Each structure stands twice: as C-alpha cells, then as structure tokens.
C-alpha cells in the first residue's frame, strides 16, 4: 500500500501542478497525465479525475468541451480564485523550502 503521507502530499502537488499549467493555457486530462508522468508522478486517470472534479467544485478551475477533430475534449482553465490560491500556496511552499534548506529569515 502506498505511503499515506506521500499520497496526501501528492494530491496537493498534483493540484498545484494543474493550476500552474492551467494558468498558462487550458489543459485536458490526457495531456496532464503525460505531463505528470514526465515529472515522475505515478498518476492514473483514477487519481487525476477525482482531483480535477474536486478543483471544479472548489471553483479553482472551469471546464469547457472543445471539439478536436470530431472528438469532444474537456479543457480545464484556471479561475480568478485558482490564481489567488496558486499564488498563496507558492508563497507557503517557497517559505517552507527556504526554511528546510536553512535559508529562512528567523535568525538573521
Ligand atoms: Zn509540468
């Protein structure tokens, strides 16, 4: 069974990764799966789609069907709320990484 902490963190990392790309341009599930694999995430449709659906519910993303060569594909775009949350999450992430690497400003 997969390590629980790793699983919790992975859900968060994948969410931020999705927001990052959705901020650049609308993305679809198949592309995200390939992208996540390239970054070493062991993600399947069974892990990705529940995350995407949760993010739609939380209004971090919106979705629109687009016809690509006769095939309907769902493209996900970032919302204003998503941009705000991504920015906030990144500031926490950078702060944490700095502290772990000993570059925190606690004992300046
Ligand atoms: Zn990426």
């Amino acid at each position: 069974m997969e390590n629980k902490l790793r699983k919790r963190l992975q859900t968060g990392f994948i969410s931020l990764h999705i927001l990052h790309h959705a901020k650049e341009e609308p993305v679809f599930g198949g592309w995200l799966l390939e992208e996540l694999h390239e970054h070493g995430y062991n993600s399947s449709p069974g892990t990705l789609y529940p995350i995407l659906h949760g993010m739609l519910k939380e209004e971090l993303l919106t979705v629109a069907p687009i016809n690509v060569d006769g095939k309907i594909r769902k493209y996900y775009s970032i919302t204003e709320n998503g941009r705000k949350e991504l920015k906030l999450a990144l500031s926490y992430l950078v702060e944490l990484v700095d502290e772990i690497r000993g570059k925190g400003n606690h004992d300046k």
Side-chain angles (χ1 to χ4, degrees):
M1 195 182 153
E2 204 172 46
N3 178 285
K4 281 182 186 169
L5 173 64
R6 202 187 311 155
K7 204 172 172 185
R8 284 207 304 279
L9 291 175
Q10 182 161 297
T11 302
F13 286 141
I14 287 177
S15 303
L16 292 180
H17 209 129
I18 293 168
L19 286 177
H20 165 68
H21 285 292
K23 196 180 90 174
E24 306 297 313
E25 57 185 348
V27 291
F28 62 94
W31 184 85
L32 281 171
L33 280 174
E34 267 181 41
E35 169 67 16
L36 290 167
H37 273 286
E38 267 177 42
H39 285 284
Y41 291 95
N42 189 14
S43 55
S44 65
T47 53
L48 178 66
Y49 286 99
I51 292 175
L52 285 171
H53 291 150
M55 291 173 76
L56 287 172
K57 241 189 207 166
E58 290 172 46
E59 297 178 342
L60 298 165
L61 297 172
T62 56
V63 67
I66 291 179
N67 191 323
V68 181
D69 300 325
K71 210 183 150 197
I72 303 296
R73 232 181 226 166
K74 287 181 170 176
Y75 277 83
Y76 299 87
S77 304
I78 197 167
T79 62
E80 261 323 299
N81 186 39
R83 284 176 195 276
K84 210 178 72 194
E85 293 301 323
L86 176 61
K87 209 172 156 192
L88 195 64
L90 288 184
S91 69
Y92 279 107
L93 201 54
V94 167
E95 210 277 335
L96 176 63
V97 170
D98 282 352
E99 169 148 30
I100 290 170
R101 288 183 167 170
K103 290 183 228 158
N105 53 10
H106 301 287
D107 42 24
K108 240 196 285 203

